[in-house]
Amino acid sequence: DNAGFEVALGGSEAADGGAETVGWIAVDMGLASGVDGFVFEAGEIATNQKWTAETFDAAFTAPGVVAGMASYNGADAAAARLGAITDQGFQIRAEEDQTHDTETFHATEQFHWIAFDQGQLWGDAIG
Protein backbone atom coordinates (compact mmCIF):
# COMPACT_ATOMS: atom_id res chain seq x y z
CA ASP A 1 0.00 0.00 0.00
CA ASN A 2 1.07 3.63 0.13
CA ALA A 3 2.93 3.01 3.42
CA GLY A 4 5.29 0.37 2.02
CA PHE A 5 5.49 -3.31 1.24
CA GLU A 6 6.87 -6.62 2.48
CA VAL A 7 9.04 -9.03 0.53
CA ALA A 8 10.10 -12.62 1.20
CA LEU A 9 12.07 -15.29 -0.63
CA GLY A 10 10.36 -18.39 -2.02
CA GLY A 11 10.84 -21.72 -0.25
CA SER A 12 13.83 -23.05 -2.17
CA GLU A 13 15.62 -19.71 -2.18
CA ALA A 14 14.93 -19.09 1.52
CA ALA A 15 16.29 -22.55 2.40
CA ASP A 16 19.73 -21.52 1.17
CA GLY A 17 19.93 -19.03 4.06
CA GLY A 18 21.74 -16.40 2.01
CA ALA A 19 20.85 -12.78 1.43
CA GLU A 20 19.40 -11.69 -1.91
CA THR A 21 19.22 -8.32 -3.63
CA VAL A 22 15.64 -7.37 -4.46
CA GLY A 23 14.88 -4.82 -7.16
CA TRP A 24 11.58 -2.97 -7.09
CA ILE A 25 9.67 -0.18 -8.72
CA ALA A 26 6.73 1.78 -7.31
CA VAL A 27 4.13 3.43 -9.56
CA ASP A 28 0.51 4.42 -9.16
CA MET A 29 -1.93 2.16 -10.97
CA GLY A 30 -3.53 3.62 -14.03
CA LEU A 31 -2.45 5.34 -17.21
CA ALA A 32 0.34 7.94 -17.24
CA SER A 33 2.49 9.77 -19.76
CA GLY A 34 5.58 11.93 -19.55
CA VAL A 35 6.40 15.18 -21.28
CA ASP A 36 8.66 13.24 -23.66
CA GLY A 37 5.74 11.11 -24.86
CA PHE A 38 6.63 8.04 -22.81
CA VAL A 39 3.36 6.28 -21.94
CA PHE A 40 2.88 3.50 -19.43
CA GLU A 41 -0.03 1.81 -17.73
CA ALA A 42 -0.03 -0.15 -14.49
CA GLY A 43 -2.72 -2.32 -13.02
CA GLU A 44 -3.79 -5.28 -10.95
CA ILE A 45 -5.58 -8.45 -11.99
CA ALA A 46 -6.74 -11.55 -10.12
CA THR A 47 -6.42 -15.01 -11.63
CA ASN A 48 -5.55 -18.61 -10.87
CA GLN A 49 -3.96 -21.26 -13.12
CA LYS A 50 -6.32 -20.40 -16.00
CA TRP A 51 -5.36 -17.82 -18.63
CA THR A 52 -7.05 -14.48 -17.95
CA ALA A 53 -7.10 -11.56 -20.39
CA GLU A 54 -6.37 -7.95 -19.45
CA THR A 55 -7.15 -5.06 -21.82
CA PHE A 56 -5.09 -1.87 -21.99
CA ASP A 57 -6.61 1.61 -21.74
CA ALA A 58 -3.46 3.03 -23.39
CA ALA A 59 -2.83 3.03 -27.14
CA PHE A 60 0.41 1.02 -27.43
CA THR A 61 2.15 0.06 -30.65
CA ALA A 62 4.57 -2.63 -29.43
CA PRO A 63 4.08 -3.01 -25.68
CA GLY A 64 6.31 -4.73 -23.19
CA VAL A 65 4.69 -6.07 -20.03
CA VAL A 66 6.26 -6.87 -16.67
CA ALA A 67 4.12 -8.69 -14.10
CA GLY A 68 4.57 -10.24 -10.69
CA MET A 69 2.51 -12.04 -8.10
CA ALA A 70 1.41 -9.66 -5.33
CA SER A 71 -0.18 -12.25 -3.01
CA TYR A 72 0.59 -15.73 -1.76
CA ASN A 73 -2.67 -17.63 -1.37
CA GLY A 74 -1.81 -21.09 -2.67
CA ALA A 75 -0.08 -23.84 -0.72
CA ASP A 76 2.44 -24.37 -3.54
CA ALA A 77 4.83 -21.79 -4.94
CA ALA A 78 3.73 -20.06 -8.15
CA ALA A 79 4.78 -17.19 -10.38
CA ALA A 80 3.26 -14.90 -12.99
CA ARG A 81 3.21 -16.42 -16.47
CA LEU A 82 2.50 -14.03 -19.36
CA GLY A 83 0.82 -15.26 -22.53
CA ALA A 84 0.02 -13.44 -25.73
CA ILE A 85 0.93 -9.73 -25.59
CA THR A 86 -0.73 -7.56 -28.23
CA ASP A 87 -1.32 -3.84 -28.77
CA GLN A 88 -4.69 -4.29 -27.02
CA GLY A 89 -3.72 -6.32 -23.95
CA PHE A 90 -2.18 -9.52 -22.64
CA GLN A 91 -2.90 -12.86 -21.00
CA ILE A 92 -1.68 -13.90 -17.55
CA ARG A 93 -1.98 -16.87 -15.20
CA ALA A 94 -0.41 -18.39 -12.10
CA GLU A 95 2.09 -21.05 -13.07
CA GLU A 96 2.56 -23.39 -10.16
CA ASP A 97 5.90 -24.93 -9.23
CA GLN A 98 5.86 -28.71 -9.70
CA THR A 99 8.89 -29.49 -7.55
CA HIS A 100 6.92 -31.32 -4.83
CA ASP A 101 3.89 -32.54 -6.82
CA THR A 102 2.60 -32.64 -10.40
CA GLU A 103 -0.80 -30.93 -10.01
CA THR A 104 -1.03 -27.36 -11.28
CA PHE A 105 -4.31 -26.12 -9.75
CA HIS A 106 -3.70 -22.89 -7.87
CA ALA A 107 -5.67 -20.50 -5.70
CA THR A 108 -6.62 -17.08 -7.06
CA GLU A 109 -3.75 -14.64 -6.67
CA GLN A 110 -3.38 -10.89 -7.22
CA PHE A 111 -0.89 -9.85 -9.91
CA HIS A 112 0.50 -6.37 -10.47
CA TRP A 113 1.63 -5.37 -13.95
CA ILE A 114 3.11 -2.50 -15.88
CA ALA A 115 3.01 -2.05 -19.67
CA PHE A 116 4.95 0.38 -21.84
CA ASP A 117 5.97 0.78 -25.46
CA GLN A 118 9.33 -0.83 -26.04
CA GLY A 119 12.32 1.45 -25.79
CA GLN A 120 14.64 2.66 -23.08
CA LEU A 121 13.75 2.74 -19.41
CA TRP A 122 15.93 4.74 -17.07
CA GLY A 123 16.26 4.41 -13.33
CA ASP A 124 18.29 5.65 -10.38
CA ALA A 125 19.53 3.80 -7.33
CA ILE A 126 18.36 5.43 -4.10
CA GLY A 127 19.15 4.84 -0.48
Side-chain angles (χ1 to χ4, degrees):
D1 61 24
N2 62 353
F5 63 93
E6 294 179 16
V7 64
L9 298 176
S12 62
E13 291 85 1
D16 293 341
E20 296 287 337
T21 300
V22 176
W24 58 276
I25 184 171
V27 297
D28 284 330
M29 290 188 196
L31 179 61
S33 61
V35 294
D36 59 356
F38 182 77
V39 176
F40 71 90
E41 184 176 349
E44 178 179 52
I45 186 171
T47 190
N48 54 20
Q49 76 281 352
K50 297 179 182 177
W51 287 111
T52 301
E54 179 74 309
T55 303
F56 299 131
D57 289 330
F60 293 119
T61 55
V65 178
V66 177
M69 203 162 73
S71 62
Y72 188 66
N73 297 321
D76 293 330
R81 175 71 175 205
L82 290 170
I85 300 172
T86 70
D87 295 352
Q88 289 79 43
F90 63 94
Q91 293 180 321
I92 189 169
R93 70 181 180 97
E95 183 172 78
E96 192 169 287
D97 184 339
Q98 292 181 298
T99 303
H100 301 292
D101 56 37
T102 58
E103 60 82 20
T104 58
F105 296 105
H106 197 79
T108 298
E109 302 282 3
Q110 293 298 121
F111 294 88
H112 292 171
W113 59 268
I114 184 169
F116 45 87
D117 272 328
Q118 294 181 24
Q120 291 184 323
L121 288 180
W122 297 93
D124 291 314
I126 58 172

